[in-house]
Amino acid sequence: MAASLIMPTSSSSSSSMASSFSSLFSRCSISHKTLLPNDSGSRIYAPNSVKCDMAEPIKYGNGKPIIPIVNERTLPKFLESARLEKSVNRTSPRIKLFSGTANPALSQEIAWYMGLELGKINIKRFADGEVYVQLGESVRGCDVFLLQPTCPPVNENFMELQIVIDACRRASAKNITAVIPYFGYSRADRKTQGRESIAAKLAANLITVAGADRVLACDIHSGQSIGYFDIPVDHVYCEHVILDYLASKTICSDDLVVVSPDVGGVARARAFAKKLSDAPLAIVDKRRQGHNIAEVMNLIGDVKGKVAVMVDDMIDTAGTISKGAALLHQEGAREVYACCTHAVFSPPAIERLSNGLFQEVIVTNTIPVAEKNYFPQLTVLSVANLLGETIWRVHDDSSVSSIFQ
């Protein structure tokens, strides 16, 4: 056997879990119009979004990023109203968290937020690449949450997820929730031409057949993919984390324009724009010549002299978003920001993103960003508290949607 991994446990004491826990967005508040002044006296506001000063993004020191550490355990104000209706039980001994090998850092952050320890699990790779999984503790009768994004290497991580689910099912877990921050194969959600597979449906079937009772996923590529599952799916939107970060910037609201990099992302960009000062919307029209190859054709909307915020669910090779940014500069945009939830960053994404087209590239840590992919314009925001709060609510059978209401 080779490449053995035994997940470490957190040092957080379970005794402090009942009395305190870290906030979803530390020291934050919510209002219908969170106002922030800029140098010129104009204001930018983010209606129905959160304002906070938690979870600083990755910063650079001596060329190496500093990973954000959550260091507060106070109740976020925007959750208080929801908790008045139904208190969430955070002292249950029947909840277990297990992490796969795809993103152990995010899993540890989630466990820290929840005041729990990651469950003991032994994951090994045989010499031929086969995956071996053994749980290191009993899960009989427990509510189990498995933390594993199906990020690159997609097939390996996806197969590992299924094997961990199978191990929990055979160990008599009462409920198994697959927490999938990034759901691979979600782009293969329909047939665009003859004799194509719909891999998103197949992936959903495999997770279900493996034994999962529920799925918790972040920003799935298209809404119809949720319907491919025959089990409940809690779909978490990470735009609130990005909106909160953008709201901290001193940009005049009159200078903002939200840009969809393609026609398919218009609904996502429109919802984002409405929450970001009700900013105007622009659309990049492109014609795709092949997979991971895009050609920008036209721009719908006005961006001249504006700060353009490009919004997408993921950045893969960065072909679409970089060509869109080049077009925005040609049309007179003053600055261009790229915002996405999933930083897939397949080559040559880094070269395209770091060539000066973008003022800042803002992503989340649903997918771990390799050190070789760091570049000065990159900002990584943590979704650990968002996922941790959602897990508590799923476990307690409380409303998930009320988090942001």
Side-chain angles (χ1 to χ4, degrees):
M1 296 184 183
S4 174
L5 173 65
I6 300 179
M7 296 306 302
T9 59
S10 169
S11 60
S12 302
S13 62
S14 59
S15 61
S16 64
M17 177 180 60
S19 60
S20 61
F21 53 92
S22 65
S23 64
L24 184 59
F25 300 105
S26 174
R27 301 186 301 279
C28 70
S29 61
I30 187 168
S31 64
H32 289 287
K33 292 187 179 182
T34 301
L35 298 176
L36 292 171
N38 65 7
D39 296 336
S40 64
S42 300
R43 294 173 182 262
I44 174 175
Y45 67 90
N48 300 319
S49 66
V50 288
K51 173 67 187 77
C52 72
D53 53 1
M54 191 244 35
E56 295 188 2
I58 283 182
K59 296 181 180 179
Y60 287 82
N62 300 322
K64 298 222 175 188
I66 301 172
I67 305 300
I69 301 297
V70 182
N71 54 17
E72 292 283 339
R73 291 199 170 199
T74 58
L75 180 65
K77 292 181 180 179
F78 79 96
L79 286 176
E80 286 181 351
S81 60
R83 293 186 75 243
L84 287 176
E85 299 176 3
K86 182 177 180 181
S87 178
V88 178
N89 178 19
R90 300 171 190 272
T91 60
S92 173
R94 286 294 183 179
I95 184 172
K96 298 279 188 179
L97 300 181
F98 291 95
S99 175
T101 61
N103 197 346
L106 175 59
S107 301
Q108 191 63 61
E109 285 186 54
I110 293 171
W112 194 95
Y113 167 79
M114 298 181 68
L116 301 174
E117 295 183 352
L118 286 176
K120 297 177 182 178
I121 183 171
N122 186 13
I123 302 176
K124 299 180 180 180
R125 297 286 191 276
F126 289 101
D128 63 352
E130 292 181 10
V131 180
Y132 169 83
V133 172
Q134 182 185 29
L135 302 181
E137 58 189 79
S138 174
V139 296
R140 184 179 297 275
C142 293
D143 198 359
V144 176
F145 292 83
L146 307 178
L147 311 169
Q148 174 85 337
T150 55
C151 52
V154 178
N155 295 333
E156 192 167 314
N157 288 329
F158 185 75
M159 192 65 195
E160 180 183 302
L161 172 63
Q162 293 181 78
I163 296 175
V164 176
I165 291 173
D166 181 72
C168 292
R169 180 176 62 86
R170 295 179 186 279
S172 301
K174 183 178 180 180
N175 292 298
I176 302 171
T177 300
V179 181
I180 311 174
Y182 170 70
F183 179 48
Y185 288 109
S186 62
R187 285 175 285 183
D189 55 3
R190 65 191 184 279
K191 293 180 69 172
T192 57
Q193 52 189 341
R195 299 177 296 280
E196 281 188 332
S197 69
I198 303 179
K201 172 59 176 172
L202 175 61
N205 287 344
L206 291 173
I207 292 172
T208 304
V209 171
D213 299 297
R214 178 182 292 270
V215 167
L216 195 162
C218 298
D219 286 329
I220 296 178
H221 184 67
S222 57
Q224 66 261 31
S225 296
I226 299 175
Y228 293 158
F229 289 90
D230 297 324
I231 54 178
V233 176
D234 289 299
H235 192 198
V236 176
Y237 297 93
C238 299
E239 63 179 16
H240 301 277
V241 178
I242 299 174
L243 281 166
D244 181 61
Y245 175 73
L246 288 175
S248 69
K249 294 184 173 294
T250 53
I251 304 173
C252 178
S253 59
D254 294 334
D255 293 340
L256 279 172
V257 57
V258 174
V259 181
S260 174
D262 54 33
V263 176
V266 171
R268 181 187 304 109
R270 184 187 296 117
F272 193 92
K274 186 176 181 180
K275 295 175 182 177
L276 189 67
S277 305
D278 201 13
L281 182 67
I283 304 168
V284 176
D285 176 41
K286 66 175 174 58
R287 304 297 165 87
R288 190 175 293 277
Q289 296 177 326
H291 296 296
N292 296 330
I293 301 175
E295 180 181 356
V296 173
M297 301 297 294
N298 197 14
L299 177 67
I300 304 170
D302 180 27
V303 298
K304 188 173 183 179
K306 303 270 190 180
V307 176
V309 180
M310 303 188 73
V311 180
D312 210 346
D313 63 317
M314 70 177 71
I315 298 177
D316 190 354
T317 61
T320 297
I321 204 163
S322 62
K323 289 185 178 181
L327 179 63
L328 293 176
H329 282 293
Q330 291 174 14
E331 296 293 329
R334 190 169 82 239
E335 293 178 347
V336 178
Y337 289 80
C339 301
C340 84
T341 299
H342 309 300
V344 181
F345 288 172
S346 303
I350 303 306
E351 290 78 3
R352 290 170 171 171
L353 295 173
S354 60
N355 63 2
L357 287 172
F358 299 98
Q359 179 75 14
E360 192 172 1
V361 178
I362 303 166
V363 302
T364 73
N365 62 344
T366 57
I367 296 176
V369 180
E371 187 173 353
K372 65 179 181 180
N373 290 334
Y374 297 149
F375 56 94
Q377 296 88 353
L378 179 65
T379 299
V380 178
L381 305 177
S382 178
V383 297
N385 295 359
L386 175 62
L387 290 175
E389 180 64 26
T390 304
I391 290 172
W392 270 127
R393 288 172 178 270
V394 170
H395 172 67
D396 195 52
D397 294 327
S398 300
S399 172
V400 172
S401 61
S402 66
I403 291 178
F404 296 103
Q405 291 179 354

